[in-house]
Amino acid sequence: MNLAHYGLYFSAAQLETARTHAQGAPFASAWHYLRGHQPPGVVAALWGGLRWKLLDSADSAAIGAEIGLRSIEPALMDGLALIDAVRQTVMLAHAFELTRDFPGFGAADQARWRDGFWERVAQLNTKVFEPRIHEQCWLLLLNLAAGIVLERAPIIEEACAAFQRIIAEQVSPRGYIESAVMGKDGGAMYRQIASASALALMAEAAAQIGIDLWGYQVRGVAVTTTAVYPIYYFYTTEKWKWDAGYPVEDVQALFREFGGYLEMVARRMSALGTTPSRDIQVVLSDLRPIFDAYGGGLTTLTHALPEKKRRGLFG
């Protein structure tokens, strides 16, 4: 287990790829986005960490660390729905990992942050008696993040084992998670995407510390099976049977907000020797540059693969 504390979801080598291919697709637009935007509120903690790692911006790191320290107070979760509080806490964990090597983020402040974070994690794990599947998946991601940030191997192992149970017991060979899509209440697509994104984020975070959840399979079913399932409804929902008359615009809006994990899926499918389908590449081209504040950040910049140059007529 390699707890490098570079960031929850990526390595220095991935950022070097983004720098090497900065002028090419799909990185150029993502670099422009990083330099030209400044998200408001608590998301600025993540932005500061990203700009520190990618642009060596000490000013951004200082702002990110300050906002992260101020925002981790458990009382600030009051009034948030469970899923929103968990997502925000996972995002703050990623921001912390990005800035913990910033010299201006002192040991005492980091200790205060970790104390507040652990209190948040403890509260969120007991907030509801029986969380729904998408909430369960995000709580597992939170616990995995907590194990990594706080260097607690038993928490990591328990979260990974729970991940494997979900893949083995709840993911259909077709890709859907039955407990997510059932109900005909209009929320099936949201729950499927939310569940799949949390599982993909878990697999990517585990990969950064040397644990292979991407490759875990049961009868051919893996996390990629459920991760790609919703993309086939990005342009049409005629065959979406879980909610009647579901607007395709709503599917696209969900992916624009929560689609950061797709860059990770495409990258890992390639690394596993499974060529990412043309379908996921088409969807990615419509979404890029992807910034998913609670799903990894600016994942087009950190996880995309360089696009191959098209050959001319004579090679």
Side-chain angles (χ1 to χ4, degrees):
M1 192 179 298
N2 175 28
L3 298 174
H5 298 302
Y6 191 82
L8 282 180
Y9 308 110
F10 56 78
S11 65
Q14 288 172 242
L15 300 193
E16 189 57 34
T17 297
R19 293 188 181 99
T20 300
H21 300 276
Q23 303 305 315
F27 300 105
S29 62
W31 280 109
H32 179 75
Y33 191 98
L34 179 67
R35 292 186 172 98
H37 288 73
Q38 179 58 58
V42 66
V43 179
L46 173 64
W47 207 244
L50 288 172
R51 288 173 64 87
W52 165 243
K53 277 291 189 286
L54 287 151
L55 300 174
D56 297 320
S57 173
D59 289 343
S60 296
I63 293 170
E66 179 184 353
I67 293 174
L69 184 60
R70 191 167 64 236
S71 302
I72 201 63
E73 293 296 328
L76 296 179
M77 295 191 299
D78 293 348
L80 292 178
L82 174 63
I83 191 70
D84 295 329
V86 173
R87 279 194 175 111
Q88 184 187 94
T89 308
V90 169
M91 185 268 293
L92 288 170
H94 186 31
F96 177 76
E97 289 290 276
L98 292 171
T99 53
R100 68 190 296 168
D101 64 342
F102 171 54
F105 196 4
D109 284 339
Q110 290 198 23
R112 281 176 51 210
W113 188 94
R114 287 191 294 268
D115 288 345
F117 174 65
W118 180 240
E119 188 175 344
R120 267 189 176 232
V121 172
Q123 288 184 19
L124 288 168
N125 274 301
T126 58
K127 193 168 184 179
V128 294
F129 180 64
E130 291 186 0
R132 295 168 293 179
I133 184 60
H134 63 297
E135 295 169 332
Q136 290 177 33
C137 291
W138 274 89
L139 281 167
L140 288 178
L141 172 59
L142 174 62
N143 288 333
L144 177 60
I148 293 170
V149 171
L150 303 175
E151 299 187 344
R152 299 188 183 184
I155 298 177
I156 294 172
E157 292 165 3
E158 184 177 343
C160 290
F163 169 99
Q164 292 174 336
R165 287 195 296 272
I166 288 177
I167 299 301
E169 299 171 6
Q170 300 205 43
V171 178
S172 160
R174 289 186 56 196
Y176 60 82
I177 299 173
E178 187 169 2
S179 56
V181 298
M182 296 301 287
K184 295 194 179 298
D185 58 356
M189 181 63 76
Y190 165 72
R191 290 190 295 270
Q192 173 65 35
I193 291 175
S195 301
S197 66
L199 293 172
L201 289 163
M202 283 189 73
E204 190 66 2
Q208 300 304 322
I209 60 171
I211 298 174
D212 183 18
L213 295 182
W214 285 110
Y216 177 78
Q217 292 188 16
V218 178
R219 296 181 298 278
V221 174
V223 62
T224 51
T225 310
T226 194
V228 301
Y229 175 74
I231 70 169
Y232 297 102
Y233 303 94
F234 189 85
Y235 298 105
T236 177
T237 56
E238 289 182 4
K239 295 184 179 180
W240 179 255
K241 64 181 181 179
W242 309 109
D243 292 309
Y246 196 76
V248 69
E249 294 81 6
D250 290 1
V251 179
Q252 294 178 1
L254 287 172
F255 273 113
R256 294 190 191 286
E257 187 172 2
F258 304 120
Y261 77 100
L262 290 179
E263 295 281 16
M264 302 177 184
V265 172
R267 181 185 185 90
R268 290 295 170 176
M269 287 176 73
S270 178
L272 290 168
T274 305
T275 302
S277 69
R278 180 178 180 275
D279 303 276
I280 193 171
Q281 296 297 347
V282 170
V283 170
L284 283 172
S285 68
D286 275 352
L287 293 173
R288 285 169 170 165
I290 301 175
F291 175 60
D292 181 349
Y294 303 115
L298 193 54
T299 56
T300 296
L301 194 55
T302 57
H303 288 80
L305 296 170
E307 291 186 5
K308 294 181 180 179
K309 294 182 179 180
R310 294 182 180 179
R311 293 187 174 185
L313 183 62
F314 301 101

